[in-house]
Amino acid sequence: MKNAKVSLLAAATLLVLGSSAAMAETEFKFGGYVKADVMFSDYSNGAPDSGNLSRQFYVPGTIYGTPGNGKQVVDFQARESRFNFKTTTDLDGHKLTGFIELDFMTHTDGNERVSNSYSPRIRHAFVSYDNWTVGQTWSTFMNPGSLPENLDFVGAADGTPFVRQTQVRYTNGGFQFALENPETTVTPNGGGSRITSGSGIVPDFVARYNFKTQGGAKFTLAGIARQLNLEKNGIDSQTMGYGVNFTGVIPVGDDDLKLSATAGDGLGRYMALNYANAGVLDADGDIKSISSYGGFASYRHWWNDKWRSSFTLSGFKADNDVALTGGAVNEESYSGYINLLYSPVKPMTVGVEYMYAENTKQNGDKGELNRVMFSVKYVL
């Protein structure tokens, strides 16, 4: 990303900031990247229809397929391309930062028939003042720095927390504390379509500690406490959920090893892109939390200064009470990745990746996905 001091925008920003910022210098940065993907996919039970989320990137729970459809498909997309804008202002020794980022993933408002036009969506939109951050960004419960270098949009989706949401976060040294947006997902008694509560007044609370060793290894330990709440269709029930996440990025010579392990009760949407719900209703309409755990390990090897490969294994398991959930709920999800990436110049990466994923429901029904992905990425 290149720095640019834009006098007109700076003047407008300073008017908003007020007289205290009038003598300050504001730095503007534009960034992002362009990424084009070609994905050859083989679904064991028939491919989902064109435009389905599973055809954009690997999402646990979306690969069971559509019987009657062909099993092998190819998708071309540039939807992961993104754009961001950042301002940084020094206010008499206080640091004020604003950041917003957009991409084009997950939307179904475009199509592959005519123009492939998809709406932008907000990834990040926050402001920071010294130790405080307010707005939408990565959940404090997850560590994006530990994610493997995969071509798939998430990579290791089964074994990692992956949430962006609005929050209020305080950082002091290696410690972080946050109040974050609450949302509960519940399985009906006996099974059925997911219930999203849409209610709840108690924010999710997250505490995290970041630390590193003299050898350059970086670690995080995070804990979450949340109220599971459902007030809908005559049901009024609450219970507590909690979880722990540990991540590490460990140098191994010129290579590195990335690790993540997560476990808890009532984690729901925080893990594996909501592959399992946070709780299930019993016969009395009370929420019973669902235990789950997952993790991944990824080893990145540098063949030389331009060629590298990552080898990744990821998994998740939910401990369902079948008497309450029924047998059609998700139970286990696993995936593996191997890739070869080449950067002829620093801003550009060309690569190929093979991934295999298997999802299993409580009753033993399975879905498998084999995918070969080619990508070209240019960092702006």
Side-chain angles (χ1 to χ4, degrees), residues 102-118:
L102 310 174
D103 73 0
F104 308 89
M105 298 294 287
T106 73
H107 282 295
T108 58
D109 56 351
N111 61 68
E112 297 181 11
R113 295 180 295 105
V114 183
S115 65
N116 286 270
S117 300
Y118 301 98

Side-chain angles (χ1 to χ4, degrees), residues 32-33 57 79-84 99-107 120-126 135-139 142 144 147 153-154 162-167:
Y33 58 75
F57 62 101
R79 298 164 66 123
E80 190 181 326
S81 301
R82 65 185 59 166
F83 173 81
N84 58 56
F99 184 81
I100 187 166
E101 182 174 68
L102 310 174
D103 73 0
F104 308 89
M105 298 294 287
T106 73
H107 282 295
R121 63 164 188 167
I122 290 179
R123 287 173 50 83
H124 302 273
F126 64 85
Q136 176 167 305
T137 189
W138 298 113
S139 171
M142 70 169 287
L147 292 176
F153 177 63
V154 178
F162 194 88
V163 176
R164 287 186 300 269
Q165 60 191 6
T166 302
Q167 61 194 268

Side-chain angles (χ1 to χ4, degrees), residues 329-366:
V329 293
N330 295 319
E331 181 189 18
E332 296 179 339
S333 176
Y334 301 98
S335 62
Y337 310 75
I338 181 171
N339 61 37
L340 179 63
L341 309 181
Y342 172 62
S343 296
V345 292
K346 189 174 182 179
M348 185 175 183
T349 297
V350 180
V352 58
E353 179 172 277
Y354 169 72
M355 71 158 290
Y356 170 80
E358 180 179 301
N359 295 174
T360 305
K361 295 184 179 181
Q362 193 70 47
N363 59 15
D365 289 347
K366 289 185 178 181

Side-chain angles (χ1 to χ4, degrees), residues 66-83:
T66 303
N69 283 359
K71 294 183 179 182
Q72 298 175 337
V73 291
V74 61
D75 290 288
F76 289 65
Q77 69 173 19
R79 298 164 66 123
E80 190 181 326
S81 301
R82 65 185 59 166
F83 173 81

Side-chain angles (χ1 to χ4, degrees), residues 149-226:
E149 188 182 21
N150 287 351
L151 297 182
D152 181 72
F153 177 63
V154 178
D158 334 74
T160 183
F162 194 88
V163 176
R164 287 186 300 269
Q165 60 191 6
T166 302
Q167 61 194 268
V168 178
R169 179 192 297 171
Y170 177 74
T171 302
N172 189 347
F175 291 95
Q176 294 181 316
F177 304 94
L179 297 177
E180 305 192 4
N181 182 66
E183 183 68 293
T184 302
T185 57
V186 177
T187 301
N189 181 251
S193 299
R194 169 179 292 148
I195 301 172
T196 302
S197 70
S199 57
I201 196 171
V202 180
D204 293 353
F205 175 74
V206 183
R208 174 170 144 186
Y209 180 59
N210 309 309
F211 59 100
K212 56 186 177 181
T213 67
Q214 291 183 346
K218 298 178 181 179
F219 299 98
T220 70
L221 181 63
I224 185 171
R226 58 194 303 246

Side-chain angles (χ1 to χ4, degrees), residues 264-278:
D265 265 356
L267 285 176
R269 66 187 178 87
Y270 278 93
M271 276 297 292
L273 300 175
N274 210 167
Y275 182 64
N277 290 323

